[in-house]
Amino acid sequence: MLATAAIKRQGEAWLAELRSGPPAILTQATPHLEHLRDPSTPRHLAYEHFLRDPAGERIRWADMHVHQIEHIQTAHAKGYHAGVLAPLGHGKTTLHVVGATLDDMGLYPDWPQQIVSASGEIAQDRLEAVMGYVELSDAYRELYPWVRPAVEGNKRKDWSKTSLTIDRKAIMPDPTLRGVGVVSKRTGSRTRRTRFDDIEDIDSLSQAVRKARANAVWNKWLRRIDPPHGRAVWVGTPQHVEDLNHVLVRTPGWSVLIQAVRADFKGIEWVVVENPRPEVETLGV
């Protein structure tokens, strides 16, 4: 995780750069970069280009991660929201919350997006990670040099602990990305992508907490997704048989990939559970 102080210092330099002229990364339209910018290209290739582990090394995704990405793309194309339930510590947040958000910002700068986490503090961490890549990652800026903080006058238009706005053609009041805790009192923004980031944790063992989170998910956040092409992504690790991850598997309109360690500990096994609703149609994005 990039420290807030470092982000602020580098961000000030980046802001000065925005005012003074062209970006530091002058990207040539190479065939490789153009290939990665094509939405039809397997997205794990783009993620490998810019995502880094805590040691700063390029991340190589395993088959289980590629399968997760393909599942989400297939589910969305078929009109479903997409869920990925997988073991703890297997990179779900890095891949599907931070990486996918950054990728969509590059491919579709006008899309409003939202990250919903178990708490506001966790959502803030995710937002800071996204900001860090936009401001500090040469690899990300090489791939998507047009993704930069929006500037209004002598300051950024919106670059805070809870939201950020990048340069975009669309004129809209909502930010490019907002991060919220699942039971936040905010009403939220209309979004094209809402990503639920491990909203089940040890606190959700409480029935009252679980009920409050379920009410927020189904009666607030999902209703803020723009029809007909808006989609949700849910990543989580099942905690107990009554948690929201298990409810999700039974919810109409969701296609959920469940990955688990094999009983002999020699690999990962998976299954996809689809729960169609009458109005689900195949829709492009």
Side-chain angles (χ1 to χ4, degrees), residues 4-222:
T4 303
I7 290 175
K8 183 177 180 181
R9 288 194 301 272
Q10 293 292 333
E12 290 172 349
W14 180 235
L15 182 60
E17 182 182 297
L18 287 175
R19 297 186 191 124
S20 63
I25 304 298
L26 296 178
T27 303
Q28 299 295 322
T30 66
H32 174 65
L33 291 175
E34 289 301 311
H35 178 63
L36 296 181
R37 293 168 184 163
D38 183 345
S40 67
T41 297
R43 298 323 300 159
H44 71 278
L45 298 177
Y47 301 164
E48 284 181 353
H49 183 82
F50 63 81
L51 284 177
R52 299 293 184 267
D53 67 17
E57 298 297 322
R58 181 170 294 186
I59 300 173
R60 301 293 184 183
W61 302 107
D63 288 345
M64 66 176 293
H65 299 114
V66 176
H67 193 74
Q68 292 170 6
I69 297 169
E70 292 174 346
H71 165 73
I72 291 172
Q73 291 180 307
T74 299
H76 285 174
K78 293 170 67 175
Y80 290 98
H81 299 311
V84 173
L85 304 183
L88 189 68
H90 279 63
K92 299 184 299 296
T93 293
T94 298
L95 181 58
H96 305 299
V97 178
V98 177
T101 296
L102 285 161
D103 196 41
D104 280 348
M105 285 170 59
L107 294 174
Y108 314 106
D110 289 345
W111 278 14
Q113 302 186 64
Q114 189 156 257
I115 296 173
V116 180
S117 299
S119 69
E121 291 78 10
I122 295 173
Q124 180 180 331
D125 288 344
R126 307 301 183 243
L127 213 66
E128 287 182 350
V130 171
M131 290 176 176
Y133 275 98
V134 172
E135 295 179 309
L136 306 177
S137 170
D138 287 347
Y140 182 74
R141 290 164 60 190
E142 177 186 51
L143 182 59
Y144 297 125
W146 52 84
V147 176
R148 54 178 66 194
V151 176
E152 190 172 63
N154 293 322
K155 62 180 181 180
R156 294 173 184 155
K157 185 176 181 180
D158 178 22
W159 205 258
S160 70
K161 294 180 178 180
T162 59
S163 61
L164 64 87
T165 299
I166 62 172
D167 275 348
R168 57 189 178 182
K169 295 179 180 179
I171 300 175
M172 59 181 70
D174 295 324
T176 301
L177 177 64
R178 191 186 299 279
V180 295
V182 62
V183 293
S184 169
K185 294 182 179 179
R186 301 188 69 100
T187 58
S189 309
R190 303 298 298 180
T191 73
R192 284 293 294 267
R193 289 292 181 269
T194 292
R195 295 180 170 88
F196 294 96
D197 166 42
D198 267 323
I199 66 169
E200 285 284 57
D201 54 19
I202 193 65
D203 290 337
S204 65
L205 292 174
S206 160
Q207 185 175 1
V209 170
R210 188 164 65 247
K211 183 177 180 180
R213 291 182 179 182
N215 181 65
V217 169
W218 274 274
N219 293 323
K220 181 164 68 173
W221 302 123
L222 286 176

Side-chain angles (χ1 to χ4, degrees), residues 222-252:
L222 286 176
R223 294 186 178 185
R224 303 300 294 169
I225 298 174
D226 272 334
H229 300 309
R231 300 285 186 270
V233 176
W234 178 296
V235 297
T237 299
Q239 305 286 330
H240 56 86
V241 296
E242 295 182 358
D243 71 8
L244 296 184
N245 295 300
H246 287 80
V247 173
L248 190 77
V249 175
R250 305 189 300 269
T251 301

